[in-house]
Amino acid sequence: MVAFSGTVQSDYLKFLPTELDNKIKLIDFAAGDFTTFKETLTNYVKATFPLDYNNFESSDFGVLLIELMSAIGHIQSNKADFLANENYLATARSRDSVKRLLELVGVRMKGPISAAANAQIQANTTEDVSSMTIPEANRTFIINSPEDGGALTYTLYKLNNDGTIDGLGSSDGDITVDVDVAAGVATASSLVIQEGALVIETGIFRTADSVKSVELQQSPYVEKSAQIFITGSTDTKGAYTEEDNLYFASGGTDKIFQVTTDENFVASILFGDNSIGLSPAVGDRYTIAYRVGGGTRGNVAESFINAPVEVTLNERTSTRTFSNQPGTLENTSVATGGRNAETIDSAKRYGPLYFRSQDRLVTLEDYKGHANSFASNYGSTGKASASVRRAYCSANIIDLFVLEKASDTQLRRATQEFKKQLLESIDNKKMLTDEIVVVDGLIRTMDLFLVLTIDDNFKISQNQIIQSARDLTQRYFNVDNTDFGEPFVPEDLVRFILDNEPNIRFARVDNVDSTIKVGFNEVIQLNNLNITADLV
C-alpha cells in the first residue's frame, strides 16, 4: 500500500538534458547563406527553448529577429568569401585588387589609349605649289566627341613614306608635307591625327631624396606618352627612357624612369636611386611632355572631322610662300585604337606571362607575353602569338603574328609604326641568336544569329533582355577574351549568356551548329549580330 505524501509531482516539465548544456554543439558552422542561417537558428531555438517560444509564424517578432540575424550572417559570410577571393589573382574580381596584386610583382595595368586616323588638308589655290606647311599653333584642334558630346583634342603629325610618324608625343615646330594640285585644290595627304591633348611641364629637383618623383598635374594619362629631358649636371642631363619597372635597369647609370598611376589615372614619374637607374641631381631642371585623354570616345567615323585650319603654301619654282591660306582638315579613315583602361580579363591573362619573362625573351611564351603587354609611344596595343618555324635550319627564326587593337571588340592590321617600335622593344631583350619576324595575323569575321526563348511574363521587358544578350555577346567576343587559334564553340556562348541573364529561359545560335576551328595565326572576330526572341 502506497501512502500519499500530500505533494503532487509531475514528470511533464523536465530540465534540459545534459547534452544540451553545451549549446555550441547546436550551431552549424557550415552555414553560409540566409536560408541556412535561418534554418539553423530556428532549430536552435526549438531545441533549447521548447516552452518559452514556439510561435514560428512569419509575422511574429521572434521570427523577425531570427531573419535579421540570418541576414547579418549572410552579409558577413559573403564579405569574408569576397575578401578571401580578392587575395588571389585567379579569383579576384575587383579592379583595385587585380591592380595591387600585379603591382606586387612589378606589373602595371595599362591606362587609356588614344585613337588615331589618317588625315588630309585641302586648300584652294591658283598657284603652282609643291608643298604645304602647317604652323605649330595650328597643329592642334578641338571637336565634340560623338560618344558623350565632350571636347576632344587632336594633334596633327606627318606620315613618312615608310609608315612611321614624325615627332610623336610632341607638337613643337611646323611640319611641311608635299601636296598634289588638281582643279585648283592643293591636297596634303601624308598626315596623321592623334587624339589627346599634349601637356608640357617643367620644374627643378630641389630635394636630395634617394628616389625622386614628379606627380603630373593633368589626367587621365595616356599610356606610354611621357617623354622626359633633363638639363643641368653633366652626368645626369639628357633624354630618359621609360621602363615598365625600375628594376629592369642594368645598373646605376641607366637614364630611365617608371610611370605609376592611381585609380583615376593620375600619373607619377619615378626615377632611379643610383643603384637601379640614375637619380637626377639636385638643381637639375626637367621637361616632361605627355598626353592626356584616350578612351573609346576618340574613335570617330571616316570624314567625321571637318575642321578649318590655316596653312602656308610653298611655290614650286621659287621661294615664294602664301601664308594664312584657309584649308579644311578631314580624317580620311576611321579613327581607331582608342581604348579605355586595360580590362581585368586582359590583365589576368597576360600579366603572369609578362612577369614570368623577367624582362628577357627566351621561350615562345615570353615573346607572346611581351608582345601582348607592349604599348607603343602613341599608346597603341596589340594581340600577338609566336611560333617557331618547322624547318631545322630555321629553328632560331621566330614568327610573331601581330594584330593591332582598334577598339574593345575590333582588331586591325598593325601599322608600320607599331611593328617598328615592337621590334625595337624586343631587340635588347631577346636571345642573341634569335631572329624575329613580325607577320600580320589573320582576322576571321563571323556573323551570328541568336534566338532567345523568353517567358511570356517578360514580354514588356523583351527589348531590354535582347539588349542585355547583345551586350553579353559583345563582351564574350571582347578582344581581351579571345586569342589566336581559339575555336568558337556555340555552346560556350549560350552558357555564358544564360549564366549572366536569368530572364532568358533558353538560347541557341541559329546559323552555327558545330565548333568553328581556325589556324594558329587566326583570330575569330564578331561581325554582324542579329538577335530575335520567342515568347513561351
Side-chain angles (χ1 to χ4, degrees):
M1 183 176 180
V2 179
F4 178 62
S5 64
T7 302
V8 177
Q9 294 182 347
S10 172
D11 61 351
Y12 180 72
L13 296 177
K14 293 184 178 180
F15 292 107
L16 290 174
T18 55
E19 62 268 17
L20 293 182
D21 290 343
N22 187 7
K23 297 180 181 180
I24 197 171
K25 292 182 178 180
L26 299 174
I27 300 175
D28 181 6
F29 289 98
D33 60 89
F34 176 84
T35 302
T36 309
F37 276 122
K38 182 179 178 181
E39 182 180 352
T40 299
L41 291 173
T42 301
N43 292 335
Y44 178 85
V45 172
K46 288 179 179 180
T48 56
F49 306 103
L51 298 180
D52 298 290
Y53 182 77
N54 52 25
N55 183 12
F56 294 97
E57 295 294 331
S58 59
S59 59
D60 189 76
F61 185 73
V63 174
L64 171 63
L65 294 178
I66 290 176
E67 290 182 344
L68 286 176
M69 294 303 298
S70 300
I72 293 173
H74 181 95
I75 293 171
Q76 293 298 326
S77 176
N78 184 69
K79 186 69 173 178
D81 290 342
F82 173 80
L83 292 177
N85 289 336
E86 294 304 297
N87 287 322
Y88 300 93
L89 185 63
T91 55
R93 301 176 64 183
S94 165
R95 181 180 184 85
D96 186 60
S97 298
V98 174
K99 178 177 180 290
R100 293 177 185 275
L101 288 170
L102 289 175
E103 286 176 347
L104 287 174
V105 293
V107 178
R108 183 176 67 86
M109 293 181 68
K110 299 182 186 65
I113 308 295
S114 58
N118 294 328
Q120 70 174 19
I121 295 178
Q122 291 187 323
N124 295 326
T125 182
T126 57
E127 307 295 336
D128 182 22
V129 297
S130 60
S131 62
M132 176 186 297
T133 300
I134 301 95
E136 176 185 344
N138 299 343
R139 288 180 55 191
T140 59
F141 57 95
I142 299 175
I143 66 168
N144 294 326
S145 169
E147 183 175 302
D148 57 19
L152 278 175
T153 301
Y154 284 85
T155 305
L156 192 66
Y157 297 97
K158 179 181 178 181
L159 180 65
N160 297 322
N161 293 332
D162 61 358
T164 58
I165 303 172
D166 264 354
L168 272 175
S170 171
S171 62
D172 293 342
D174 304 343
I175 59 174
T176 300
V177 293
D178 295 335
V179 299
D180 294 322
V181 180
V185 177
T187 302
S189 56
S190 299
L191 297 170
V192 170
I193 54 172
Q194 186 183 8
E195 186 268 329
L198 183 69
V199 182
I200 298 178
E201 295 183 12
T202 59
I204 300 176
F205 295 106
R206 301 185 184 277
T207 63
D209 298 335
S210 58
V211 177
K212 296 180 175 62
S213 64
V214 178
E215 182 175 321
L216 303 183
Q217 299 302 306
Q218 297 191 35
S219 63
Y221 170 78
V222 173
E223 192 69 23
K224 292 293 183 180
S225 64
Q227 298 187 38
I228 299 178
F229 190 83
I230 291 178
T231 57
S233 171
T234 303
D235 295 332
T236 57
K237 69 179 181 180
Y240 281 60
T241 304
E242 181 178 354
E243 286 285 357
D244 292 330
N245 197 298
L246 288 175
Y247 287 97
F248 292 166
S250 58
T253 59
D254 289 358
K255 295 180 179 179
I256 63 172
F257 65 91
Q258 176 185 343
V259 177
T260 63
T261 54
D262 63 14
E263 61 275 7
N264 297 315
F265 303 106
V266 176
S268 295
I269 307 295
L270 302 180
F271 295 90
D273 59 359
N274 288 328
S275 60
I276 48 171
L278 189 63
S279 177
V282 176
D284 281 356
R285 177 176 292 274
Y286 61 81
T287 300
I288 304 175
Y290 63 99
R291 306 178 68 81
V292 294
T296 58
R297 58 194 303 271
N299 296 331
V300 298
E302 182 179 345
S303 302
F304 178 84
I305 300 173
N306 200 293
V309 57
E310 289 188 348
V311 299
T312 297
L313 298 178
N314 307 304
E315 195 173 38
R316 185 183 306 276
T317 57
S318 70
T319 58
R320 285 199 308 164
T321 60
F322 308 93
S323 302
N324 301 324
Q325 299 297 308
T328 301
L329 184 145
E330 179 184 27
N331 63 307
T332 56
S333 69
V334 177
T336 60
R339 302 187 66 221
N340 298 325
E342 183 178 17
T343 64
I344 293 175
D345 292 331
S346 176
K348 292 170 70 171
R349 180 189 287 253
Y350 297 112
L353 290 179
Y354 182 72
F355 169 71
R356 195 179 300 142
S357 69
Q358 291 297 296
D359 200 39
R360 83 282 184 272
L361 305 178
V362 180
T363 68
L364 292 180
E365 288 297 310
D366 292 340
Y367 283 102
K368 182 177 179 180
H370 175 83
N372 281 285
S373 302
F374 171 78
S376 67
N377 67 358
Y378 59 96
S380 185
T381 58
K383 181 170 284 294
S385 183
S387 68
V388 177
R389 296 187 181 180
R390 293 181 180 274
Y392 293 106
C393 60
S394 305
N396 66 323
I397 299 178
I398 298 174
D399 289 318
L400 199 61
F401 296 92
V402 176
L403 290 168
E404 200 168 349
K405 295 179 182 178
S407 66
D408 289 338
T409 57
Q410 299 290 316
L411 294 164
R412 67 181 181 191
R413 183 177 180 180
T415 61
Q416 289 298 114
E417 182 71 26
F418 182 82
K419 295 176 184 177
K420 171 177 171 288
Q421 292 189 27
L422 176 59
L423 282 173
E424 289 174 350
S425 72
I426 289 175
D427 190 56
N428 60 352
K429 303 178 189 297
K430 70 180 181 67
M431 300 291 287
L432 289 175
T433 55
D434 286 348
E435 182 179 342
I436 312 302
V437 180
V438 175
V439 185
D440 289 323
L442 299 178
I443 301 173
R444 298 301 186 193
T445 58
M446 178 177 62
D447 296 338
L448 282 184
F449 295 89
L450 287 177
V451 179
L452 312 178
T453 302
I454 304 173
D455 195 291
D456 192 61
N457 295 331
F458 298 125
K459 182 177 181 180
I460 192 173
S461 305
Q462 178 178 339
N463 291 335
Q464 291 89 332
I465 295 174
I466 290 176
Q467 183 58 46
S468 175
R470 182 178 300 276
D471 294 341
L472 288 170
T473 303
Q474 291 176 341
R475 177 180 158 194
Y476 182 86
F477 283 97
N478 188 292
V479 169
D480 294 329
N481 297 332
T482 59
D483 208 346
F484 282 91
E486 285 189 353
F488 170 66
V489 183
E491 293 80 5
D492 289 346
L493 172 60
V494 170
R495 187 180 302 110
F496 179 77
I497 293 174
L498 296 181
D499 287 346
N500 291 278
E501 179 48 75
N503 293 329
I504 298 176
R505 179 178 291 187
F506 182 72
R508 72 176 188 273
V509 180
D510 212 29
N511 64 322
V512 180
D513 55 7
S514 61
T515 299
I516 297 177
K517 297 181 180 180
V518 293
F520 69 96
N521 61 337
E522 299 176 332
V523 175
I524 294 178
Q525 184 168 282
L526 182 63
N527 187 25
N528 295 314
L529 175 61
N530 182 57
I531 302 178
T532 58
D534 293 334
L535 299 175
V536 294

